[in-house]
């Protein structure tokens, strides 16, 4: 049975203003996808799991601020597992990938979140694409 | 276009944003007014009515301003402000932002496309924080100068002469303009540190990728006794420390933030 936090319907409804897609995967996993053009210095949401977490980003001229907001009394842990932050000269979009662990009862939830950012200095904006997959850890 | 600016209790901003963000999908502009107050501003069509915003903010609401503004990205960015305070002793701001007026050292940086160094990035802040800790004196070279903010801070603090190098023409131009704006002498030079060794200044500040650090460390002048190493991730710190260690420098201090590391190394 899918836990309430991984039900795609509330995630789709709450994420709709942000253009977020939410769907159920085999085994009860929740898959999310969202893309958004965000102006320099604006903080905007690019991922939302109601009752669990929200991910906001704020592009600046030479940096990116990330806000991982916990929406559950037991805050999920975010750990960067990959990214291109150490490859400043690359022509590829800036990319960050996290593992997210929510130590919930009776079963913890684990997720993987990937965000890519393409900046257009002249337009004063950045385009973000976020993907995420969350599933309950039963073992 | 309607623009709304809410002044909120700083400790309640996140709770207000939980409700506000779905209503403002294009995003909000946060500005710290002081340690107790934060401004959250947003603009667009179809914004929530005043009564709804007051209900959302509740007792966190300290003030609300509304006005009609031009539908312009530049205007929204300008109003968001570009002021960054470093270690409570130095403020980096754009010409559009007001001067500090509280005795904090002020550096004015004109935003320029492609010129890294607004004061927002953890690597720039790490360089400035460590620079503030050091005893100024002798020559300094800012390697990968971007906007020139580190070189300008060094000149203000008392290093002389100050050189600023970058492989990007836009950065060299931005550094020259910003140095002039701040009334300090900085010699900006177009140079690719993958091709030439670092200048033999007593102090170096290098906010550049690890592979360039390794090249610089491999050809470091004996006259360079102190290096602030930045532009590396925390996981790259051992490799950077080892490269400069082979050149005879030892770790004296460090700053870590946002996954980035900034190191202070000196000859014993």
């Amino acid at each position: 049975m899918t836990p309430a936090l991984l039900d795609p319907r509330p995630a789709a409804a709450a994420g709709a203003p942000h253009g977020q897609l939410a769907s159920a995967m085999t085994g009860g996993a929740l898959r999310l996808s969202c893309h958004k053009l965000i102006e320099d210095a604006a903080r905007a949401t690019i991922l939302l799991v109601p009752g669990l977490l929200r991910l906001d980003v704020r592009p600046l001229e030479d940096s990116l601020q990330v806000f991982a907001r916990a929406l559950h009394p037991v805050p999920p842990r975010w750990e960067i597992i990959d990214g291109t932050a150490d490859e400043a000269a690359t022509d590829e979009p800036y990319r960050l990938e996290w593992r997210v662990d929510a130590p919930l009862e009776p079963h913890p939830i684990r997720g993987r979140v990937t965000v890519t950012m393409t900046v257009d200095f002249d337009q004063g904006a950045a385009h973000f694409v976020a993907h995420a997959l969350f599933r309950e850890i039963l073992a | 276009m309607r623009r709304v600016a809410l002044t909120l209790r700083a400790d309640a901003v996140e709770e207000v944003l939980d409700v506000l963000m779905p209503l403002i999908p294009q995003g909000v502009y946060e500005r710290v007014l002081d340690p107790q107050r934060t401004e959250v501003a947003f603009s667009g069509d179809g914004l929530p009515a005043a009564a709804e915003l007051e209900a959302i903010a509740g007792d966190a609401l300290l003030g609300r301003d509304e006005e009609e503004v031009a539908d312009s990205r530049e205007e929204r960015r300008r109003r968001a402000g570009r002021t960054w305070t470093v270690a409570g002793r130095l403020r980096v701001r754009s010409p559009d932002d007001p001067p500090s007026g509280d005795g904090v050292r002020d550096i004015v940086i004109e935003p320029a496309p492609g010129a890294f160094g607004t004061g927002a990035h953890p690597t720039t802040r790490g360089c400035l924080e460590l620079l503030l800790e050091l005893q100024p004196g002798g020559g300094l070279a800012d390697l990968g100068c971007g906007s020139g903010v580190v070189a300008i801070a060094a000149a203000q603090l008392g290093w002389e002469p100050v050189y600023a190098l970058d492989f990007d023409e836009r950065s060299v131009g931005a550094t020259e303009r910003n140095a002039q704006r701040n009334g300090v002498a900085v010699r900006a030079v177009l140079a690719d540190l993958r091709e030439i060794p670092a200048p033999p200044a007593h102090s170096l500040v290098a906010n550049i990728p690890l592979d360039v650090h390794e090249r610089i460390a491999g050809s470091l002048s004996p006259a360079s006794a102190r290096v602030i190493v930045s532009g590396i991730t925390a996981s790259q710190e051992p490799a950077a420390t080892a490269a400069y260690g082979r050149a005879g420098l030892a770790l004296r201090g460090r700053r870590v933030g946002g996954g980035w590391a900034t190191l202070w190394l000196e000859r014993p």
Side-chain angles (χ1 to χ4, degrees), chain A residues 52-53 70 72 74-81 98-104 107-113 133-137:
Chain A
L52 183 62
L53 59 86
H72 192 279
V74 180
R77 292 190 299 265
W78 291 71
E79 180 189 1
I80 287 187
I81 54 174
W98 294 268
R99 182 169 61 223
V100 181
D101 283 300
L104 309 183
H107 302 296
I109 289 175
R110 173 168 290 176
R112 183 172 291 232
V113 175
L133 188 75
F134 294 93
R135 69 172 73 247
E136 207 174 29
I137 306 300

Side-chain angles (χ1 to χ4, degrees), chain B residues 16 23 34 51-52 66 70 80 84 89 98 123 129 143 156 162 164 180 183 205 220 240 246 268:
Chain B
V16 174
L23 305 175
D34 58 45
E52 188 179 359
E66 279 197 42
W84 306 94
R89 293 173 54 195
T123 58
E129 285 180 15
L143 311 180
Q156 282 192 356
V162 175
Q180 187 173 23
V205 183
L220 193 68
R246 288 190 288 274

Side-chain angles (χ1 to χ4, degrees), chain A residues 36 43 54 61-62 69 85, chain B residues 18 25 28 76 82 117 260:
Chain A
K36 191 180 277 189
R43 172 178 171 176
R54 190 181 78 236
E61 282 83 354
D62 64 356
R69 170 74 172 152
Chain B
D18 287 343
V28 302
R76 285 189 286 277
R82 293 179 173 93
W260 298 89

Side-chain angles (χ1 to χ4, degrees), chain A residues 23-117:
Chain A
S23 53
M25 299 295 288
T26 310
L30 172 65
R31 183 176 63 181
L32 303 172
S33 179
C34 184
H35 76 102
K36 191 180 277 189
L37 189 69
I38 303 174
E39 297 182 8
D40 277 351
R43 172 178 171 176
T45 297
I46 55 165
L47 216 57
L48 176 62
V49 183
L52 183 62
L53 59 86
R54 190 181 78 236
L55 185 67
D56 298 346
V57 291
R58 184 189 188 204
L60 291 158
E61 282 83 354
D62 64 356
S63 54
L64 169 66
Q65 294 182 337
V66 178
F67 305 84
R69 170 74 172 152
L71 302 179
H72 192 279
V74 180
R77 292 190 299 265
W78 291 71
E79 180 189 1
I80 287 187
I81 54 174
D82 197 10
T84 52
D86 57 345
E87 298 166 22
T90 182
D91 293 329
E92 298 297 313
Y94 191 98
R95 184 176 60 82
L96 290 170
E97 187 173 349
W98 294 268
R99 182 169 61 223
V100 181
D101 283 300
L104 309 183
E105 297 290 347
H107 302 296
I109 289 175
R110 173 168 290 176
R112 183 172 291 232
V113 175
T114 305
V115 174
T116 59
M117 175 181 76

